[in-house]
Amino acid sequence: MPAKVVIGAQWGDEGKAKIIDILSEKADVVVRTQGGNNAGHTVAVNDEVYKFQLIPSGILYTGKKCVVANGVVIDPEGILGEIDGLAAKGIDVSTLRISTRAHLVMPYHKGLDKAKEALKAKDGKEIGTTMKGIGPCYMDKAERSGIRVCDLYHEETFAEKVRENVKIKNDMLKYVYHQDDLQYDAEEIIKSYRAYAERLKPFVEDTTVTVYEAIKEGKEVLFEGAQGTLLDLDLGTYPYVTSSHPITGGACIGAGIGPTMIDECIGVMKGYITRVGKGPFPTELFDATGDRIREEGHEFGTVTGRPRRCGWFDAVIGEYAVRTSGLTQIALNKIDVLKDLEVIKICVGYKFNGEVIKYFPASLEDLEKCEPVYEEMEGWGDISGARTYEELPESVKKYIHRIEELVGCKITMVGVGPNRDQNIVIG
Ligand code: GDP
Ligand code: IMO
Ligand code: MG
């Protein structure tokens, strides 16, 4: 029974949660390893739509252990809201496990996120974050002033860390960001986090042991990635990225296991590309086709409701994701959205300084100069009712094979709609 990592191979929102939900049926444990409630993961079951931000999407199946591991940054108010929301829908959340080592998103992280974005927006240089305090929380983690879940259960240590942080953060907000009204009261935070600590206590444990033992016992463990390869702190379009590691390597650190314990690396792609927030996007469409994909694909942010930028499938990015995450399989979602287009384009390289390059450049200035080189493919009609590979039109089969060829990895699943059953398994 293998351990499988499922990651986003583009700029997030590839439909990772749908794939996790499908694979969860046979899994025993589902683990989130990075990011926080910046993620918006949607699962559609019949007419019911579930949205997850911190809790693994596997929770919809009774009895699956769902782990929020050490690499995740947890907003206690956010996760408790999710727990209550699921419980109200009759979903059993008793199988949830939260890492003692995970860092806590504090109210001042959200304040700093907003203050920094507002300041940068004056020069049009904001990242377009989700404002959930993710960047500032990971900053504190790296700077070694973060507060972890385990600290919640050592009252004096916790109070001391909050007081120390609040003093510094209030000064930053006042003197650096000139946000005189945005000041935090340490004692209020301590009080509210004590109440969160009580409620979270039954779920908290050393999840490095939980995950390790599950794999050792031969159980099927799924790692649910958040965000996507091009939002990776090291490999994405820096600085227009998130502050964690959405690539498969991030799952090892984020769960506290070694790479030898992973058997399969599944990359989720859409049949086109979207991006939410600012930053470069070579195949972005600014025309009616882009609008049509947005409408047809309901491409509006799950967390913020912002319209997602839409563009053609980019095989340079696809190959980059396969390479940097060692992908063994691809799940290609949302090809149903491309219906009724006469021509469908795939970007097969970038024209850069008079040459065609096939790698994704590091520098944003270089990326800015890259002009996509397109190959045109024949379109298709409504495929949302197809349930087998054989039922797909020839043009879709050709599209799938061309993508496999260009990115260098096999496509094992194809999504033809948002529902659990609208998924075709190949081979
Ligand atoms: P995630 O963040 O990667 O889990 O993706 P999101 O949930 O943010 O966005 C994906 C959206 O596409 C959700 O609304 C899904 O219900 C929907 N979706 C997933 N797969 C398919 C598919 O194959 N076709 C269509 N039409 N919608 C899909
Ligand atoms: P899922 O898991 C798409 C983007 C934000 C912004 C940048 C930094 O649903 O695929 P942050 O709040 O993380 O500091 O914002 O990252 N972003 C996402 N885009 N899907 C996500 O998650 C994202 N999480 C963050 O829009 O551009
Ligand atoms: Mg999403």
Side-chain angles (χ1 to χ4, degrees), residues 22 37 39 56 74 80 99 104 110 113 115 128 132 181 201 228 249 251 274 276 312 332 346 371 421:
I22 290 165
N37 57 354
I74 301 174
L80 286 167
S99 168
L104 292 166
K110 291 182 254 188
D113 202 352
K132 298 287 184 186
D181 298 337
K201 206 169 182 179
T274 63
V276 58
W312 294 120
L332 187 68
I346 303 183
E371 225 183 277
D421 66 330

Side-chain angles (χ1 to χ4, degrees), residues 11-14 16 32 38-41 113 127-135 225-228 231 240-243 275-278 302-304 306 308:
W11 269 295
D13 303 325
E14 299 90 347
K16 298 176 288 294
R32 268 284 304 271
N38 48 350
H41 293 179
D113 202 352
I127 289 166
T129 73
T130 56
M131 306 279 190
K132 298 287 184 186
I134 306 300
Q227 290 81 50
L231 288 169
Y240 296 98
V241 293
T242 193
S243 300
R275 164 159 219 176
V276 58
K278 289 189 68 177
T302 314
V303 178
T304 56
R306 290 177 290 178
R308 295 177 184 149

Side-chain angles (χ1 to χ4, degrees), residues 115-279:
K116 181 146 195 196
E117 284 285 275
L119 184 76
K120 295 198 93 175
K122 287 184 182 164
D123 303 319
K125 286 188 175 164
E126 76 278 16
I127 289 166
T129 73
T130 56
M131 306 279 190
K132 298 287 184 186
I134 306 300
C137 184
Y138 278 116
M139 268 169 75
D140 277 0
K141 176 178 176 173
E143 197 243 1
R144 293 150 295 173
S145 57
I147 305 179
R148 299 186 295 165
V149 169
C150 56
D151 296 326
L152 287 171
Y153 305 100
H154 294 92
E155 286 193 12
E156 270 321 300
T157 317
F158 180 74
E160 201 180 300
K161 288 188 179 188
V162 173
R163 288 185 192 118
E164 215 172 277
N165 269 290
V166 164
K167 193 171 175 303
I168 296 168
K169 269 57 178 192
N170 277 347
D171 280 356
M172 278 169 74
L173 286 162
K174 191 169 180 178
Y175 301 112
V176 179
Y177 295 111
H178 307 295
Q179 300 271 349
D180 293 20
D181 298 337
L182 204 48
Q183 294 287 290
Y184 292 90
D185 180 336
E187 304 315 310
E188 246 176 52
I189 295 177
I190 293 165
K191 198 168 150 220
S192 56
Y193 274 62
R194 270 196 189 135
Y196 300 147
E198 270 316 300
R199 288 206 57 205
L200 291 173
K201 206 169 182 179
F203 304 108
V204 174
E205 65 184 30
D206 184 340
T207 58
T208 61
V209 177
T210 319
V211 175
Y212 182 79
E213 287 188 343
I215 296 177
K216 280 285 173 199
E217 282 165 20
K219 294 199 167 131
E220 178 144 334
V221 179
L222 285 178
F223 296 90
E224 175 174 358
Q227 290 81 50
T229 303
L230 274 268
L231 288 169
D232 186 277
L233 185 58
D234 270 62
L235 296 155
T237 46
Y238 192 89
Y240 296 98
V241 293
T242 193
S243 300
S244 67
H245 293 291
I247 60 164
T248 51
C252 291
I253 299 169
I257 54 155
T260 49
M261 301 196 81
I262 308 288
D263 302 287
E264 288 283 342
C265 295
I266 306 171
V268 187
M269 301 181 182
K270 283 196 254 215
Y272 49 94
I273 290 204
T274 63
R275 164 159 219 176
V276 58
K278 289 189 68 177

